[in-house]
Every structure is written in C-alpha cells, then in structure tokens.
Amino acid sequence: IGLMEKLTKASGYAVAHRIDDDAAGLIDDFDSSTAVGTFAVGLTESDIKRGVQYLNDAFAPEDGRVFVFSPAEQMNLFGIERFVNAQYSGSIGNVNVDAKYKGYVTSILGMDWYMSLNVEGTNAAGHDNGIWQKEACATLIVEESRPVSHYEITTDTTRYAIHAIYGFVEVRDDHGVLMKGM
C-alpha cells in the first residue's frame, strides 16, 4: 500500500492542528486593556461591537478579520436574535449556509466567524475567544518536511516520523482582542 502517501496527508493535518493550537494559545496574550467580556458569561452583541471598535481604534485593516469562538459561545450566540433571525439574513447573511471551511459559521460585522474546538478554556471557567486581524500574527512553515522510517525488529513494525519546522508568533498586539466568554 502507499503508506508514505497516507502518512504525508496525516502529517500535514498534524502540523496544521499544532499551528491551530499555537494560534489559540496566543489569543490571551493580546493587549489586556482591550479585553472584552467576562469569563464563563456569554458575549453580547455590544461586546462583539466593542471588540470591532478596538480593532478600528488600532487602525487594523478591515480585511482579513476573524472572530473565533468556542462551541459553548456558539450556542450563546445562536441565542442572540439578531444573529439568527431570518429577517436580518439580507443584511448579515444566513448562518451556517454553504460553509467556506470547517468551522465557518457566517460573516457579520465585516469579519468571518468560526467555531473552533481548539479555543483554550473550559465550559466551567470560560474560554479565550478572540477577534483579530490577520496582521496580528505571523506563521512560518518550511515547505519540505523530512520523513524518517525505522524498522523495529522486536515488534516487527516499521515506525515512521515526519519532521516539520514551523513557527507562530504574535507581531501586532493591538490587532487582536481577547473576547472572554463561554
């Protein structure tokens, strides 16, 4: 079987998942003076508008903005009539119709909204949801990964490892807002 072909796809997913973990870990490192909301309490429409205002105050470009939130926060947001009521669909878009990517929910207030299982926190203590513009962070990925195989005689198996080099760093503190919530 084409084992290396299958492992290459799996290694790409593993690296992408790790980068997503690192991105989720940086959300609470944004400027604490612009943090919005309260942990374990659902965000309100006013909280979200305040987060957008903080990006505008920082002269963050209006393109490439995203709002990433936990599954618990998603259920809270689905309880806000403005975001789900059909009469608003003409101005804000239909929720969860023709998703662009896995986790994509909608596009409201000039930014794409994503639900992620990788948002840091717990349902009891709250989550580190966040709004940011793409210039807030930088990612570097070395395109060539290095596969290594090793035969282990004691278990009669061949073990494979893929070495990948990447980096993820926050570069613009004011282009991101910690959205404390559910």
Side-chain angles (χ1 to χ4, degrees), residues 36-44 47 70 72-73 76 119-130 178-182:
V36 173
T38 304
F39 284 121
V41 176
L43 293 168
T44 65
D47 290 333
S70 69
E73 191 61 55
N76 169 62
V119 175
E120 286 188 339
T122 65
N123 289 336
H127 289 90
D128 294 344
N129 307 296
L178 169 62
M179 304 293 288
K180 301 174 185 176
M182 294 181 78

Side-chain angles (χ1 to χ4, degrees), residues 25 53 67 83 117 138 160 171:
Q53 176 202 333
F67 177 26
F83 299 139
L117 302 175
Y160 294 93
V171 291

